[in-house]
Amino acid sequence: MIMIKGERIIMGIDPGTNYLGYGLLRVVDNKPEVILSGALNLSKMSDSYLKLRTIFKRTLQVIDKYHPDELAIESQFFGKNVQSMLKLGRAQGVAIAAALQRDIPISEYAPKKIKIAVTGNGEASKEQVALMLQKQLKIEKMPSSLDETDALAIALCHFYQSKLQIKGGGAKSWKEFAEKNPARVKK
């Protein structure tokens, strides 16, 4: 893979033990573009430890092929089912371990923060997130899985957050945000 000066690659992961989404964005001249997205379908595997091994191996394969500079992953959220949270935490943990194995910096984002970053609405549906991604990243052929688009949304959220950190903060008002980010405002 040819690297362009000033380029960085952000890998996003939407963790799960039945479906895990991953996506990579290349940022050149402060413009993100999709390199790859995919989803692991682990739903037919009955052994939870084999699922975790598969997540670890696939994450390392993608890292070793595309050499991302940063990994962004969705953080756990409180749910009613404790067992589901534990399983999700394990999936998240092995994906993080794979990135740590390759010395990649990791950032975590809450689901609501990701939705706000991409759509401006913390209660947006997965379909709304996918539509806004298509618009913002100019995606012609959308991924077939919402797990993939969620992973791309996580990577895009990280891109936006890192831009805010470089600039020294976000907009002071909704009007200022809308003026600076016309593609991110719903009409």
Side-chain angles (χ1 to χ4, degrees):
M1 182 168 200
I2 299 170
M3 295 288 287
I4 299 169
K5 187 179 178 187
E7 171 186 320
R8 70 181 178 137
I9 297 174
I10 302 168
M11 181 175 185
I13 293 185
D14 180 28
T17 54
N18 285 327
Y19 298 94
L20 179 131
Y22 56 90
L24 287 107
L25 297 179
R26 175 184 292 124
V27 180
V28 179
D29 293 330
N30 220 16
K31 293 183 184 91
E33 65 180 19
V34 177
I35 299 175
L36 167 82
S37 67
L40 281 176
N41 181 348
L42 306 162
S43 63
K44 291 185 173 59
M45 296 175 82
S46 59
D47 186 325
S48 60
Y49 297 111
L50 289 178
K51 288 181 179 188
L52 296 175
R53 183 176 73 183
T54 303
I55 291 168
F56 185 82
K57 283 181 152 183
R58 182 60 182 144
T59 304
L60 273 181
Q61 286 172 344
V62 173
I63 288 170
D64 289 343
K65 182 171 183 178
Y66 293 95
H67 307 286
D69 300 290
E70 302 154 81
L71 179 116
I73 191 164
E74 186 177 74
S75 62
Q76 289 190 43
F77 53 92
F78 181 74
K80 293 179 182 173
N81 187 329
V82 175
Q83 286 300 316
S84 294
M85 280 182 43
L86 289 171
K87 289 176 184 175
L88 179 63
R90 287 177 175 175
Q92 181 191 41
V94 294
I96 288 171
L100 290 172
Q101 184 77 22
R102 298 297 188 255
D103 296 318
I104 298 172
I106 299 154
S107 298
E108 291 184 55
Y109 297 98
K112 192 172 242 179
K113 184 167 191 136
I114 297 161
K115 291 175 181 181
I116 289 170
V118 175
T119 70
N121 175 4
E123 303 302 320
S125 68
K126 288 179 173 280
E127 292 80 8
Q128 289 170 319
V129 170
L131 287 171
M132 289 303 289
L133 273 176
Q134 184 173 24
K135 186 176 181 181
Q136 292 172 42
L137 295 173
K138 298 173 180 58
I139 301 171
E140 290 181 27
K141 185 179 183 305
M142 287 298 287
S144 58
S145 160
L146 291 174
D147 299 294
E148 291 178 55
T149 54
D150 282 355
L152 289 170
I154 294 161
L156 188 61
C157 173
H158 181 72
F159 166 71
Y160 289 145
Q161 291 302 308
S162 59
K163 275 180 59 173
L164 288 175
Q165 290 170 2
I166 292 167
K167 287 183 180 178
K172 305 288 186 259
S173 68
W174 174 250
K175 182 179 178 189
E176 185 181 338
F177 174 85
E179 287 170 357
K180 289 181 177 179
N181 301 282
R184 295 174 61 201
V185 178
K186 288 193 259 178
K187 295 184 180 183

